[in-house]
Amino acid sequence: MSKLQASNEFVIESREHLQSLEDSLLQIENSDDLAVIQKLVHEAFRVVHSLKGNAGFFGLTDIRELAHAAESVLEIYRSASDRPDPAGVQSLLSAGDRLRAMVDSVDTPSQFDNDSLIAQLNAFLKPSSSTDVGSDKRYQITIQGNVSIVGLIDRISSQDALMDIRPSRMLDWSIPIHSQSDVSVTIGFDSSLDPMEVMDGLRDFGRIESKDSPWIDISRTASVLPYFGDTDSVDVVRELRYGQVNLREGLPESPVFLSTLPKSDRAPQSTKTNTVASHLTTATPKVQPQSAISETLKTNQPRQTTPKIGPTTEAVVQPAMQPVIKPAMQPVIQPAMQPVIQPAIEPVIAPTIQPAIQTPSTQAPTAVSDKPTSIRIPVDLLDRLMNLVGELTIVRNQSQATLGEGEDAARAVSQRLDSVTSELQDAVLKTRMQPVGNLFGRFPRMVRDLARQLGKQVEISFLGQEVELDKSVLEQLSDPLTHLIRNSIDHGIEMPDARAAQGKPAVGRITVAARAGDGQVHIEIKDDGRGIDPAIIKAKVIALGLKSESELAKLNPKELASFILLPGFSTAAKVTDVSGRGVGMDVVKTNIERLEGSLTIDSELGTGTTILLRVPLTLAIIPCLIVHVGKEKLAIPQRAIEEIVCIYPGGHSEIESTHNAEYLRLRESLVPVARMDEIMANPKPFNEADRTAIVAKYVQQRKRHESSIQYVLVLNASGRRYGLLVDDVKGTEEVVVKPMHPSLKKVGTFSGATVMGDGCVALIASAEGIIAHADAGLPIAEKIQAPSVRNPDEVHRVLLFEFGPDERFALPLIQIKRIEAISVDSVENVGGQKFVNIGGVSTRLIFLNEVLNVSGCQLDKEFHVIMPKFVVEPMGIVASRIVDTESMSIELQEASVSDPGILGTALIRDRLSLFLDTQYLREKTFTTHLGETTQKKKSIEKFEADAQHQTDDRFGPSAHVLLIDDTPFFREIVRRYLESQGMTIVTAVDGVDGLQKCFSEDFDLIVSDIEMPNMNGWEFCAAARQQGYHGPMIALSSLSKLEHEEFAKESGFDTYEEKLDHDRLIQTVRRTLDDARRRKPSPTHKSFSGGAS
Amino acid sequence: MSSTETQFCTFRAADRLFGVPVQDVKEITTETTCTLIPHAPEVVLGYVNIRGQIILALDLKILMGWSGSEPSQLRCMVIFKPVIGPLFGLVVDEVCEIVSLNSDHLESFRSGGSTELGESRAKLIHGVAKLEHQLVVLLNSRMLLPYVENVA
């Protein structure tokens, strides 16, 4: 291993040690359980010790000395019976920080002045030991037993002798040889010397060999005793152990047989040593049975647990040492030891010490997790693998293209190649993934320090630490997350007395939760602090002249909160060290957007702030929309695209222009439009004149009606919406991103390139770059116009269609299974009812004028049939004309039409459109005309029975249900579903509303949507449970079931159901109520809010 | 063979002969599909996919600044080794033979006398050597990318 590699290993490992040290120390501070604290102190001691050993090995004296000082303090705490002095822990944390800094700049460690820090640490040592600290200390290593030091022993011979050898690097060697067969070698040396070097020095003289049963004792003898401080003696033992002498801790009074150590040690090391041992065993005829060794182990076991030497034990230890060791150890050990000695000793002296250093060894509680199930791989290598997989993909494509007709066998092989390649790509991608817990790990310390500095009490907790993210994404998330958490502490959490005055717990809570879903990771940073005051934002906005008061009045809280993302916008009343300088949130936002992610803020005055980050799992492969501009293909990351609008002659969307800008009228707002072909043709960012020229050019073209079909991609980046006009949209593709060539860093409009399936290179456009290019000079006020905060779940696509001439109907696409074009000839008449055969199923046609009070119509030769989802019976709604689909947030006016089959109405494209209730249509159709099948009969009976409130149904007619959903449309549908079952419904519009209402009355059941503003379903459920609601809860969402079911249960929901599936929902509601009843045998409805369960 | 003899790969662009040391060259390709990169400097012809790697193609004619020359058609590209610069190549009209030149035959290039080349381009040229029938301009491979970075 080269020096460089070695020191890399050291740095990586030391960082891990230091992180672990910090974790332990922080837990020590927060724990009340003395046993736990003891464990943690041991853990901390262990890692500092490892670090010290490593540093010593690499000759990093500065690090070693500081680690030593820290270790000495921990040593005292380790043997103490009460909890560590908080000031001491603080000093240890500081020492950890300094060590980290030193480790990070390991090439130049001498730049740090550690004297004061070491003095500070030494202050926590008891005076008796600290006074002993002097430069002229001596250590002593005794190697005793029937050993010979080959090369040396020849000259010494086996007689009483004392040799004083002074190698250049050591102060003092003394090697007394005892007259018996035992040889005792005692080496004294100065504390400035690394015991490792001493052992190395020994090697220079010769090899330690043994015919019988040697053991190594490191101790003091009377002659050198005055030189020794107690802790130093311990020190030697441990140092040596890291030189793989394998002597156990606390050894001065109990020299340990070398061979037994691996067994009591942890797995990796013991494996290695055992291998060597068994290897040697075969070479040595005098093998002792295993049992003998384990016997020695047992004998040694108690010693491991004896208290370690503290500064006060000096008196006890000294006399005890020699007498105890020799009689106790020799008889037991000597016979057993023989075969094992060589392997044990040789590693001591051999230079390959690395393995021992990498496996720090005490009886740590976490031993299980240390199995070597992972290895380190350079990122370069992974990148190369990634490239190779990319090439493989292209070869695969080529192989498919070159296959001719009739080569079916080859085609099958090629297809297998295809699937293997895809899997390989997935697997390689996974190698780059790391759990977010790695990132979260650094925050507890930061929170603690910051909270102390500000005099606040803050507790941080984490959820979803196992969620995995690409390494590069993780790295880039670090700064934004740090900033957001600092903000929460500084701005969010109030001082303890202020919190108490508001009835909040004095300790502020910050929760950081990570959750994976649809190719993204959501990270939520939530505090229960004071929240963002809309009044302050408003005042600030007006002060900066960004908006007028009347404009502000129209904005919702989310939009208001999003102002803090603007550069230079800080609401902190005073600038502190921590935040308030007005740089920050905009940088956070920019960083997140650079990751192709997004950021939303949710805040309520007095209750807290929640910031939601959405970032992609990986940057290496991203889903892109492939578009054509002229002859060129471009990939545009899908995350930047909000929607796509098709523009065609005679269509209802068109480009409008002022003198210097083009706009797309998109529902209620004007979106500025840039033309990609013009952007690509002009290397310089557009100025006023360019824009005017472009507008003029296309105004002419529009007048001549030359424009053909084009598409506008509505991009959302840097908090602005922008339309990008392209010629054609080819569809989506997952592309492997390659960064731009390093010599082209100045090209901002493209963020990378990718090789397409056909082997062509396509550029990946950067939404930010494009917007910057198109309007470098737009004033800030215009940028604000489109708040970036937008909940995609609130927008639904709605199908518009007509039947009779008078009305227009609407159905959300989510409720539609399919639409078929049907010829009049294929309609069959059966007993006055009309059927068509669709996909082999005889489907009942519903003519709206027969079930609703609407106009009828004579059908053309061909008409359309809309088949609704979530309906058991095959039925189709007849439409004379399909108008279009429209994206809209469904806001129904409920009262305007009072037909039970109409859920409500909405103005869509200036026409009143009626939203149909498919469940009503179904019931009406199949109850009035078709009562035959038993299944339907039953459902009718049930329906009627419930309606008449006279059923023996176990949940009874008066089940009282709280329904929470932010979308009026769904709220209305679900309300109807449940009311049709005889339940009484109270509705709430979001989690906050729900939380207020759920304790105002006794509810038998709560049904809640998940995706809601202000407080989502998960949060609502957790809060309701926490505040003592014990009744059943059902989560209801359009999110897919499998993915969230478990999460729903974790949050406290009883079950999870998809929205709009009428039958399933009813079933689930019944079952849930039944279960709840059974748990609570008393049939009263009031029992659920009790608190007994 | 004299110890100072070097082998040069020669190629032709706009009827002139150029050369780069053979050990600088990774491969020569006849791939013809090139993706233009809008907003990149003029000397950049585009990106070319060579077995899954995206190579930056530089246009030798534009690089030499011959006024009025149209961007080259991608017919033939000399791709350099990574030690010369990351993933780039030089688009030329045709690749010619490999010639061995003794360092004695190399003449250093004097920019002062040339009107065709600007000061910054002078660094691109290592020297000139005389072959039997014509002169060959020897390029400084390592200076090509720095030039691209500075022109924008």
Side-chain angles (χ1 to χ4, degrees):
Chain A
M1 182 182 288
S2 76
K3 170 116 182 155
L4 184 67
Q5 264 179 319
S7 82
N8 275 344
E9 286 292 315
F10 170 74
V11 170
I12 291 170
E13 209 180 295
S14 300
R15 281 185 189 146
E16 284 169 9
H17 285 326
L18 288 167
Q19 183 60 49
S20 151
L21 170 68
E22 191 177 295
D23 290 348
S24 301
L25 291 174
L26 291 177
Q27 285 179 53
I28 289 171
E29 278 195 331
N30 295 329
S31 178
D32 295 323
D33 184 346
L34 274 177
V36 172
I37 290 177
Q38 270 299 311
K39 221 180 228 177
L40 290 165
V41 170
H42 272 89
E43 178 66 21
F45 179 85
R46 183 180 69 78
V47 298
V48 172
H49 184 77
S50 304
L51 177 69
K52 185 174 90 164
N54 291 3
F57 176 63
F58 288 107
L60 302 164
T61 343
D62 289 4
I63 296 180
R64 198 180 136 267
E65 278 171 7
L66 183 54
H68 173 73
E71 189 190 17
S72 305
V73 175
L74 281 163
E75 173 72 27
I76 288 170
Y77 293 154
R78 216 159 63 126
S79 44
S81 56
D82 50 350
R83 56 179 310 149
D85 179 4
V89 175
Q90 173 65 50
S91 298
L92 285 168
L93 281 168
S94 313
D97 289 344
R98 175 65 60 83
L99 283 170
R100 197 188 304 258
M102 290 167 82
V103 164
D104 285 344
S105 56
V106 71
D107 298 331
T108 52
S110 54
Q111 61 182 304
F112 296 97
D113 176 19
N114 299 323
D115 291 350
S116 61
L117 201 49
I118 292 177
Q120 196 186 336
L121 287 167
N122 284 340
F124 294 99
L125 302 173
K126 297 245 169 86
S128 66
S129 60
S130 56
T131 49
D132 273 356
V133 176
S135 60
D136 194 29
K137 289 169 300 177
R138 299 195 179 190
Y139 298 87
Q140 171 178 309
I141 300 171
T142 310
I143 300 168
Q144 197 165 4
N146 187 8
V147 298
S148 56
I149 298 178
V150 176
L152 197 62
I153 208 79
D154 284 348
R155 283 181 284 139
I156 298 170
S157 83
S158 181
Q159 51 180 303
D160 279 334
L162 182 80
M163 284 197 75
D164 191 6
I165 307 161
R166 290 180 179 272
S168 58
R169 297 165 71 193
M170 295 177 199
L171 281 183
D172 185 4
W173 281 65
S174 63
I175 307 183
I177 311 286
H178 291 259
S179 57
Q180 312 96 3
S181 58
D182 285 353
V183 176
S184 167
V185 183
T186 306
I187 308 146
F189 55 95
D190 188 271
S191 67
S192 68
L193 285 171
D194 191 330
M196 274 309 306
E197 287 174 356
V198 177
M199 293 309 286
D200 261 354
L202 260 183
R203 190 176 55 117
D204 291 340
F205 280 92
R207 201 151 48 91
I208 301 177
E209 270 181 7
S210 154
K211 292 197 184 76
D212 208 334
S213 55
W215 40 294
I216 293 181
D217 177 20
I218 294 149
S219 62
R220 297 155 289 182
T221 56
S223 60
V224 280
L225 199 56
Y227 292 106
F228 281 89
D230 226 299
T231 43
D232 292 323
S233 176
V234 176
D235 192 41
V236 177
V237 176
R238 273 188 233 102
E239 294 275 8
L240 277 168
R241 162 207 187 87
Y242 278 83
Q244 215 166 16
V245 175
N246 273 343
L247 293 174
R248 271 190 309 223
E249 288 175 37
L251 217 115
E253 84 272 43
S254 61
V256 172
F257 214 26
L258 295 175
S259 68
T260 64
L261 278 157
K263 297 205 154 260
S264 64
D265 235 315
R266 287 217 306 242
Q269 192 174 341
S270 72
T271 317
K272 183 181 190 300
T273 321
N274 282 344
T275 316
V276 182
S278 60
H279 171 73
L280 276 151
T281 301
T282 47
T284 320
K286 286 185 255 171
V287 180
Q288 294 291 330
Q290 188 77 8
S291 59
I293 295 175
S294 43
E295 202 183 307
T296 36
L297 229 186
K298 274 183 214 148
T299 353
N300 286 315
Q301 211 71 48
R303 292 229 166 74
Q304 291 186 326
T305 53
T306 52
K308 306 298 186 282
I309 305 176
T312 51
T313 53
E314 196 169 357
V316 185
V317 172
Q318 286 170 10
M321 223 158 35
Q322 298 287 5
V324 171
I325 293 157
K326 286 180 185 168
M329 295 300 291
Q330 276 181 340
V332 185
I333 292 164
Q334 285 186 357
M337 268 323 289
Q338 203 176 21
V340 206
I341 283 153
Q342 287 182 345
I345 294 186
E346 271 182 346
V348 174
I349 300 167
T352 54
I353 300 159
Q354 198 63 13
I357 293 179
Q358 287 182 342
T359 38
S361 44
T362 40
Q363 294 77 38
T366 54
V368 189
S369 61
D370 285 350
K371 279 189 189 159
T373 53
S374 59
I375 51 169
R376 292 202 171 94
I377 298 176
V379 178
D380 294 356
L381 182 59
L382 291 183
D383 288 346
R384 194 164 139 66
L385 264 178
M386 197 73 202
N387 274 334
L388 288 173
V389 169
E391 284 191 37
L392 185 61
T393 315
I394 289 154
V395 172
R396 169 200 63 188
N397 293 348
Q398 284 168 346
S399 81
Q400 277 170 341
T402 49
L403 286 174
E405 293 285 319
E407 291 176 82
D408 288 345
R411 198 167 292 280
V413 174
S414 158
Q415 275 164 3
R416 262 208 314 281
L417 176 66
D418 183 40
S419 67
V420 171
T421 311
S422 311
E423 276 182 40
L424 185 61
Q425 192 170 31
D426 282 354
V428 170
L429 265 187
K430 281 210 185 92
T431 60
R432 297 170 51 94
M433 304 301 262
Q434 290 194 327
V436 288
N438 290 5
L439 177 59
F440 291 171
R442 72 180 66 169
F443 294 131
R445 174 68 191 281
M446 184 192 90
V447 169
R448 170 196 172 276
D449 288 354
L450 197 56
R452 286 205 168 183
Q453 188 188 333
L454 297 168
K456 296 180 179 180
Q457 293 177 23
V458 186
E459 204 175 282
I460 189 161
S461 57
F462 303 100
L463 280 175
Q465 307 206 43
E466 71 290 344
V467 171
E468 291 196 322
L469 266 175
D470 189 287
K471 187 173 162 19
S472 55
V473 179
L474 205 61
E475 278 162 5
Q476 291 181 57
L477 261 182
S478 168
D479 285 353
L481 267 184
T482 308
H483 193 95
L484 291 174
I485 293 174
R486 291 174 76 94
N487 263 356
S488 281
I489 300 169
D490 191 27
H491 298 311
I493 306 287
E494 309 92 333
M495 300 301 280
D497 46 348
R499 290 180 65 88
Q502 293 175 55
K504 292 182 182 180
V507 178
R509 285 194 144 275
I510 298 176
T511 317
V512 182
R515 181 157 59 89
D518 59 326
Q520 283 187 321
V521 169
H522 297 204
I523 299 179
E524 197 182 73
I525 301 107
K526 186 176 172 181
D527 68 58
D528 65 349
R530 63 171 73 94
I532 298 170
D533 189 348
I536 294 179
I537 292 188
K538 280 185 186 167
K540 185 93 182 177
V541 169
I542 291 166
L544 290 174
L546 300 174
K547 287 257 181 200
S548 73
E549 204 152 346
S550 60
E551 284 172 308
L552 284 173
K554 290 181 201 151
L555 299 176
N556 65 35
K558 265 192 190 181
E559 288 168 326
L560 265 179
S562 66
F563 275 105
I564 67 169
L565 300 174
L566 291 176
F569 200 99
S570 174
T571 56
K574 60 177 195 272
V575 172
T576 67
D577 273 355
V578 185
S579 39
R581 294 181 199 281
V583 290
M585 283 310 280
D586 63 312
V587 177
V588 169
K589 189 167 153 60
T590 314
N591 282 341
I592 296 291
E593 276 168 0
R594 196 169 294 149
L595 282 172
E596 305 283 343
S598 70
L599 182 156
T600 48
I601 304 171
D602 236 325
S603 184
E604 188 160 331
L605 190 57
T607 16
T609 305
T610 302
I611 292 179
L612 178 65
L613 307 179
R614 293 172 214 233
V615 292
L617 285 174
T618 174
L619 294 180
I621 291 192
I622 56 173
C624 280
L625 190 74
I626 311 297
V627 302
H628 279 209
V629 177
K631 284 179 202 152
E632 299 295 329
K633 251 188 216 171
L634 279 182
I636 297 173
Q638 269 185 21
R639 274 173 236 290
I641 302 175
E642 279 194 348
E643 59 186 295
I644 305 170
V645 180
C646 178
I647 300 196
Y648 52 95
H652 64 273
S653 298
E654 59 176 40
I655 305 281
E656 299 165 34
S657 55
T658 62
H659 72 288
N660 69 345
E662 291 183 288
Y663 291 97
L664 172 73
R665 188 178 289 275
L666 186 66
R667 294 182 287 278
E668 296 307 304
S669 57
L670 284 177
V671 178
V673 170
R675 292 172 180 271
M676 195 62 200
D677 49 354
E678 292 292 339
I679 288 176
M680 287 166 70
N682 293 288
K684 293 263 180 295
F686 292 164
N687 57 28
E688 193 69 19
D690 294 331
R691 276 196 288 270
T692 311
I694 291 168
V695 169
K697 182 168 155 191
Y698 288 99
V699 164
Q700 289 307 313
Q701 202 184 65
R702 269 208 303 278
K703 273 186 190 151
R704 296 196 301 270
H705 296 288
E706 281 170 359
S707 50
S708 53
I709 298 177
Q710 284 181 312
Y711 296 84
V712 176
L713 317 181
V714 181
L715 305 180
N716 190 340
S718 314
R720 300 157 63 188
R721 288 168 96 197
Y722 220 95
L724 185 67
L725 194 90
V726 299
D727 294 333
D728 200 359
V729 173
K730 279 298 170 200
T732 64
E733 220 171 280
E734 304 238 310
V735 305
V736 180
V737 179
K738 311 222 171 181
M740 290 298 273
H741 192 279
S743 298
L744 299 180
K745 287 287 180 224
K746 289 178 190 163
V747 180
T749 27
F750 302 99
S751 58
T754 184
V755 179
M756 306 290 294
D758 61 1
C760 286
V761 177
L763 295 168
I764 301 170
S766 146
E768 287 84 8
I770 287 173
I771 293 176
H773 193 92
D775 68 344
L778 269 192
I780 190 168
E782 279 188 55
K783 295 176 185 174
I784 297 163
Q785 254 162 9
S788 64
V789 183
R790 185 164 165 276
N791 185 353
D793 298 289
E794 287 169 1
V795 174
H796 293 275
R797 286 196 79 77
V798 172
L799 177 81
L800 301 175
F801 65 97
E802 289 172 357
F803 181 65
D806 299 340
E807 298 89 4
R808 181 171 280 185
F809 300 99
L811 262 183
L813 286 191
I814 191 173
Q815 276 191 300
I816 296 174
K817 202 189 292 170
R818 61 199 281 202
I819 302 172
E820 286 277 334
I822 299 290
S823 150
V824 166
D825 304 338
S826 63
V827 177
E828 294 170 50
N829 260 301
V830 180
Q833 290 137 25
K834 294 196 169 68
F835 292 88
V836 289
N837 185 338
I838 295 174
V841 177
S842 198
T843 303
R844 173 80 186 274
L845 295 181
I846 296 175
F847 294 85
L848 289 176
N849 60 333
E850 291 173 9
V851 283
L852 301 175
N853 185 20
V854 297
S855 60
C857 96
Q858 196 63 41
L859 288 178
D860 290 339
K861 271 212 175 89
E862 214 179 65
F863 60 95
H864 290 89
V865 173
I866 301 159
M867 274 161 287
K869 257 188 205 168
F870 313 121
V871 175
V872 184
E873 297 87 353
M875 65 178 238
I877 300 164
V878 175
S880 59
R881 186 169 94 88
I882 302 286
V883 179
D884 202 349
T885 62
E886 177 72 59
S887 287
M888 58 175 288
S889 74
I890 306 173
E891 303 281 347
L892 296 188
Q893 279 136 31
E894 292 167 30
S896 46
V897 175
S898 59
D899 192 307
I902 306 291
L903 287 171
T905 62
L907 265 183
I908 304 174
R909 297 189 189 161
D910 302 332
R911 275 202 63 172
L912 194 69
S913 302
L914 310 178
F915 277 80
L916 295 175
D917 181 351
T918 54
Q919 285 306 320
Y920 175 83
L921 295 180
R922 163 211 175 184
E923 274 154 14
K924 180 108 176 153
T925 307
F926 291 100
T927 51
T928 49
H929 301 295
L930 256 189
E932 285 85 56
T933 65
T934 46
Q935 186 197 5
K936 282 156 200 158
K937 249 187 185 161
K938 269 187 196 156
S939 79
I940 297 154
E941 279 164 9
K942 236 178 231 165
F943 175 70
E944 286 171 348
D946 291 345
Q948 289 161 20
H949 293 211
Q950 48 163 324
T951 170
D952 57 41
D953 215 336
R954 270 167 301 182
F955 68 81
S958 56
H960 197 40
V961 179
L962 175 63
L963 169 65
I964 308 167
D965 198 319
D966 59 313
T967 316
F969 176 71
F970 291 123
R971 204 162 59 225
E972 176 62 16
I973 289 188
V974 178
R975 186 175 68 81
R976 284 182 178 224
Y977 287 176
L978 297 179
E979 278 180 349
S980 75
Q981 300 297 311
M983 303 177 198
T984 52
I985 312 293
V986 172
T987 56
V989 297
D990 59 30
V992 176
D993 190 18
L995 204 53
Q996 280 166 6
K997 286 181 180 163
C998 81
F999 294 106
S1000 62
E1001 299 171 48
D1002 277 343
F1003 289 105
D1004 300 324
L1005 174 69
I1006 294 178
V1007 177
S1008 174
D1009 184 22
I1010 298 304
E1011 299 282 325
M1012 293 185 291
N1014 300 328
M1015 181 189 271
N1016 69 32
W1018 312 126
E1019 296 163 341
F1020 162 73
C1021 180
R1025 289 295 188 212
Q1026 200 184 353
Q1027 294 178 23
Y1029 176 79
H1030 298 295
M1033 294 177 89
I1034 299 177
L1036 200 61
S1037 175
S1038 44
L1039 304 172
S1040 81
K1041 182 165 171 137
L1042 273 179
E1043 199 179 319
H1044 294 91
E1045 195 163 18
E1046 207 165 301
F1047 197 71
K1049 295 214 167 123
E1050 271 172 32
S1051 309
F1053 283 109
D1054 291 81
T1055 182
Y1056 181 93
E1057 198 48 72
E1058 259 180 89
K1059 257 181 205 174
L1060 299 186
D1061 188 338
H1062 171 265
D1063 291 357
R1064 291 196 57 140
L1065 176 62
I1066 298 301
Q1067 269 176 20
T1068 305
V1069 167
R1070 279 167 180 271
R1071 204 182 49 241
T1072 311
L1073 280 169
D1074 281 352
D1075 288 350
R1077 289 283 143 91
R1078 237 174 272 126
R1079 279 200 305 251
K1080 213 120 185 139
S1082 144
T1084 70
H1085 305 310
K1086 308 224 165 189
S1087 48
F1088 292 106
S1089 54
S1093 77
Chain B
M1 226 192 235
S2 144
S3 61
T4 52
E5 198 152 271
T6 316
Q7 287 193 312
F8 286 88
C9 169
T10 64
F11 40 81
R12 203 172 284 283
D15 282 332
R16 269 165 264 209
L17 198 62
F18 295 87
V20 291
V22 160
Q23 71 263 25
D24 289 0
V25 177
K26 178 171 174 254
E27 64 177 295
I28 290 160
T29 172
T30 53
E31 172 68 51
T32 54
T33 317
C34 179
T35 301
L36 303 180
I37 307 171
H39 305 183
E42 203 190 359
V43 297
V44 173
L45 195 64
Y47 277 143
V48 181
N49 167 29
I50 304 295
R51 297 186 303 280
Q53 296 205 297
I54 298 179
I55 308 283
L56 187 72
L58 304 182
D59 190 334
L60 182 54
K61 272 184 234 171
I62 309 283
L63 205 58
M64 288 294 115
W66 291 315
S67 47
S69 51
E70 287 289 303
S72 304
Q73 281 296 310
L74 178 61
R75 276 197 292 265
C76 198
M77 177 161 68
V78 179
I79 300 175
F80 291 91
K81 286 184 181 164
V83 290
I84 308 297
L87 301 173
F88 81 107
L90 214 45
V91 174
V92 300
D93 289 345
E94 87 181 295
V95 173
C96 308
E97 57 197 348
I98 289 175
V99 297
S100 290
L101 290 174
N102 196 299
S103 53
D104 301 343
H105 295 144
L106 263 169
E107 285 174 37
S108 63
F109 179 76
R110 298 185 312 277
S111 64
S114 169
T115 51
E116 226 174 354
L117 292 166
E119 193 61 40
S120 63
R121 287 195 174 92
K123 286 187 198 144
L124 297 175
I125 295 175
H126 173 62
V128 183
K130 198 177 170 198
L131 296 185
E132 255 176 68
H133 301 293
Q134 60 180 319
L135 287 173
V136 56
V137 177
L138 302 174
L139 296 173
N140 206 340
S141 326
R142 286 171 205 269
M143 294 311 294
L144 298 175
L145 282 181
Y147 177 79
V148 173
E149 282 158 39
N150 291 327
V151 284

